[in-house]
Amino acid sequence: MRLLNREESLELDRLALSESQLSIESLINKAANALLIKIENICDFQNDKFFIENKEYKQIYFLLGPGNNGQDGLYLSRLIKEKFPNIKIFTYNYSEILNFLAANIHEPVLL
């Protein structure tokens, strides 16, 4: 697997936006929902706990940066919170994420 550097990642995002003719909000929604499907395939959510391979967990932590992956993670955390309330979100450069959400996400975000 090849990892992209920051410039390559930004270029890939730019190409995805221009070629798909989707908004950034739609791309974030698609990414978060795709991840949610993968997570639901391995997690058994049960009220205040969840299980992965029969091991019990009671908390999910998100560590989010200010980039596009951070925005995907924030949206994903909101989707998971609908199924499992015990989520903690840690961010750095949080003001950039909030500014992005205010400008691009046109529905409430529950934190």
Side-chain angles (χ1 to χ4, degrees):
M1 170 160 82
R2 182 175 180 276
L3 298 177
L4 303 178
N5 64 33
R6 185 177 194 288
E7 291 76 26
E8 291 169 325
S9 181
L10 290 171
E11 178 63 12
L12 185 60
D13 286 345
R14 188 192 65 73
L15 287 171
L17 285 170
S18 66
E19 290 182 13
S20 69
Q21 297 181 342
L22 294 172
S23 67
I24 187 73
E25 179 181 13
S26 295
L27 287 176
I28 289 171
N29 185 27
K30 284 181 171 287
N33 278 291
L35 287 169
L36 180 62
I37 290 168
K38 294 287 187 184
I39 290 167
E40 288 177 329
N41 286 335
I42 62 168
C43 292
D44 177 18
F45 292 104
Q46 297 179 6
N47 297 322
D48 63 342
K49 58 189 170 191
F50 67 98
F51 297 87
I52 299 174
E53 296 180 356
N54 297 320
K55 185 171 181 184
E56 180 179 323
Y57 298 89
K58 295 186 178 184
Q59 189 78 51
I60 297 175
Y61 296 93
F62 284 85
L63 177 59
L64 307 173
N68 290 340
N69 288 339
Q71 295 155 10
D72 295 340
L74 189 59
Y75 203 87
L76 173 64
S77 69
R78 191 180 124 227
L79 294 175
I80 291 176
K81 193 170 187 166
E82 293 172 4
K83 300 173 180 306
F84 183 75
N86 298 336
I87 290 179
K88 296 244 188 264
I89 300 170
F90 300 92
T91 65
Y92 64 92
N93 209 349
Y94 192 65
S95 63
E96 285 186 28
I97 294 173
L98 289 179
N99 289 338
F100 172 85
L101 291 173
N104 295 287
I105 305 296
H106 306 293
E107 54 188 9
V109 175
L110 305 174
L111 298 177

